[in-house]
């Protein structure tokens, strides 16, 4: 999968709090290729999650285009965009989004309930093993710790073997060893051909970058790759 973002800008309307509008991104270009890890860092509030959500097809840009293999995703009908996202995109959100009443395994399998490929049970066993979730795989998500929820999100994002993965602070709440475990999973996905974009403020995560970008004043500054 080749993703090209061209001239992306995003404003938020803050008129209700009488602060006018806030320009978060301005005229940003980015190319994301399969097999590579892009790491984006920058200070809190600089627009990293905004950019990731625009790239993932979750948030429309105020201007500019995002193309997946040449297809302008925001010109697709809603249903087509949802199917494309479900099939091709793995998304690890910054905040937790597990369904509390479902077990860890059921949560991981959720995306495959929408679009399955018949291999999901095997894949979920593999991810549960790799992300050290075996002991809690039948536990309901509403009793999990922050780090357990984070690992669940990672497994859920990988269940459909997506061709592009967006990870927003994927090592939040994790100790060093578990952080490495998660980053290794993302590295493995890239080795298998996926395009991976990681947003993070963790210094060690930058070691995994093929391309390192800093978000500054609404633009991306290339630091490596
Ligand atoms: N829906 C919204 N309405 C108004 N302002 C918003 C909205 N979403 C984000 N913002 C503002 O846009 C700016 C960028 O937010 P964003 O979440 O993209 O930052 P970030 O770089 O991911 O920050 P962090 O590292 O803290 O997660 C922030 O000032 C935030 O308050
Ligand atoms: Mg953020």
């Amino acid at each position: 999968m080749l993703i090209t973002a061209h001239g992306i800008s995003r404003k938020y309307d803050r008129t209700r709090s009488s602060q006018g509008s806030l320009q978060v991104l301005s005229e940003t270009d980015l190319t994301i290729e399969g097999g590579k890890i892009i790491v984006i860092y920058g200070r809190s509030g600089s627009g990293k999650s905004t950019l990731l959500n625009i790239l993932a097809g979750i948030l429309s840009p105020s201007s500019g285009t995002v193309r997946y293999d040449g297809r302008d995703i925001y010109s697709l009908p809603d249903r087509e965009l949802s199917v494309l996202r479900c099939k091709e995109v793995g998304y690890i959100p910054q905040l937790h989004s597990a369904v509390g009443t479902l077990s860890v395994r059921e949560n991981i399998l959720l995306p495959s309930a929408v679009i399955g490929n018949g291999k999901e049970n095997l894949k979920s066993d593999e991810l549960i093993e790799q992300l050290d979730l075996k002991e809690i795989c039948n536990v309901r998500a509403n009793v999990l710790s922050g780090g357990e929820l984070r690992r669940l999100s990672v497994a859920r994002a990988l269940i459909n073997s997506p061709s592009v993965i967006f990870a927003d602070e994927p090592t939040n709440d994790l100790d060093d060893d578990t952080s490495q475990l998660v980053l290794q999973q993302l590295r493995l996905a890239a080795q298998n051909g996926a395009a991976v974009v990681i947003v993070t403020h963790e210094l060690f995560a930058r070691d995994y970058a093929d391309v390192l970008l800093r978000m500054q004043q609404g633009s991306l500054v290339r630091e490596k790759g």
Side-chain angles (χ1 to χ4, degrees):
M1 172 80 79
L2 179 71
I3 297 179
T4 47
H6 182 62
I8 299 275
S9 301
R10 176 71 206 197
K11 272 188 199 163
Y12 288 117
D13 186 5
R14 282 185 162 176
T15 45
R16 268 183 243 155
S17 57
S18 67
Q19 290 175 22
S21 67
L22 175 74
Q23 181 89 36
V24 179
L25 294 174
S26 45
E27 292 292 318
T28 303
D29 294 336
L30 183 61
T31 302
I32 304 165
E33 287 171 64
K36 287 203 174 157
I37 296 184
I38 295 182
V39 173
I40 301 173
Y41 76 99
R43 65 172 184 78
S44 176
S46 59
K48 304 181 298 295
S49 295
T50 299
L51 174 64
L52 210 65
N53 289 340
I54 290 172
L55 295 171
I58 294 167
L59 178 73
S60 311
S62 307
S63 66
T65 53
V66 178
R67 293 180 191 278
Y68 281 24
D69 284 339
R71 279 207 291 176
D72 179 350
I73 61 168
Y74 289 105
S75 69
L76 295 175
D78 276 359
R79 201 186 134 65
E80 235 176 281
L81 177 56
S82 301
V83 171
L84 178 75
R85 272 208 322 255
C86 205
K87 266 191 186 161
E88 305 288 352
V89 178
Y91 179 69
I92 302 167
Q94 182 167 10
L95 301 174
H96 296 303
S97 63
V99 180
T101 50
L102 297 182
S103 72
V104 168
R105 182 186 293 277
E106 287 165 339
N107 266 285
I108 293 171
L109 284 166
L110 267 183
S112 65
V114 185
I115 300 215
N117 58 10
K119 295 182 189 154
E120 46 270 13
N121 285 323
L122 211 63
K123 183 78 181 173
S124 68
D125 285 345
E126 203 179 290
L127 288 166
I128 284 168
E129 183 79 42
Q130 287 162 340
L131 288 159
D132 199 15
L133 290 166
K134 212 166 179 178
E135 270 180 37
I136 54 163
C137 66
N138 294 317
V139 171
R140 278 211 229 160
N142 57 10
V143 300
L144 299 183
S145 73
E148 288 165 345
L149 283 167
R150 184 71 53 197
R151 283 179 281 139
L152 182 163
S153 301
V154 175
R156 191 183 48 191
L158 299 176
I159 188 74
N160 279 348
S161 302
S163 46
V164 52
I165 298 160
F166 297 104
D168 199 345
E169 306 280 3
T171 57
N172 261 1
D173 326 297
L174 299 179
D175 58 70
D176 288 354
D177 286 350
T178 319
S179 295
Q180 298 296 345
L181 205 67
V182 164
L183 291 168
Q184 277 159 17
Q185 281 303 308
L186 295 175
R187 166 58 66 203
L188 195 65
Q191 276 165 1
N192 288 332
V196 179
V197 184
I198 302 174
V199 159
T200 186
H201 59 264
E202 309 270 20
L203 282 171
F204 61 81
R206 296 177 205 171
D207 297 341
Y208 283 79
D210 299 307
V211 177
L212 181 64
L213 303 168
R214 178 162 44 91
M215 177 69 86
Q216 194 180 27
Q217 289 166 345
S219 297
L220 291 171
V221 180
R222 191 167 286 257
E223 299 207 330
K224 175 181 143 188

